[in-house]
Amino acid sequence: VLDVIVFMRIISPSTRDWIVSAIVDGAALLPAAIPLVMPRYFTQFGVLYVSNVVPAANSSIAIDAEEGTSMARYLRYWVIHTLLSCLLESFRPVLAWVPLSTHATLILWAY
């Protein structure tokens, strides 16, 4: 369908590639939507999945494909991941008292 839209020059090939990438990334994050309606204990597993498993899989794909832009993107992700993890860990005692803080953390990582 997207190829027909590109052929009709409604969208560019780069826009088609971006749409396909967004659909693939969204499909990878779909299992993380289930813990949003569950208690805090299960949501922590969703946070681990979104913050570690999905980016690790995408990083290994980028390394195998040897795409410089993708590798740089995931290198930036892991640097930001480390900084954000340190920040969240330092505020963990305070966040433990905030209702739905684990759910907000899951949404933060998914974004």
Side-chain angles (χ1 to χ4, degrees):
V1 174
L2 289 175
D3 291 331
V4 172
I5 295 172
V6 170
F7 178 73
M8 294 173 52
R9 297 184 185 210
I10 295 173
I11 62 172
S12 66
S14 63
T15 304
R16 179 198 56 207
D17 295 341
W18 180 82
I19 291 171
V20 170
S21 174
I23 290 171
V24 169
D25 289 344
L29 292 175
L30 189 61
I34 297 168
L36 278 175
V37 294
M38 294 187 170
R40 178 184 189 144
Y41 177 77
F42 295 107
T43 306
Q44 291 173 347
F45 291 110
V47 170
L48 289 174
Y49 176 78
V50 169
S51 66
N52 292 319
V53 175
V54 172
N58 290 338
S59 296
S60 68
I61 291 169
I63 290 171
D64 289 342
E66 295 182 7
E67 297 176 26
T69 57
S70 293
M71 291 190 325
R73 175 181 173 202
Y74 285 107
L75 178 61
R76 274 192 309 267
Y77 172 82
W78 289 113
V79 169
I80 293 171
H81 178 275
T82 304
L83 296 173
L84 192 56
S85 293
C86 290
L87 181 71
L88 288 172
E89 192 62 34
S90 65
F91 285 111
R92 184 172 301 281
V94 175
L95 290 174
W97 290 93
V98 177
L100 301 176
S101 63
T102 308
H103 294 77
T105 304
L106 175 63
I107 293 170
L108 174 72
W109 281 117
Y111 177 71

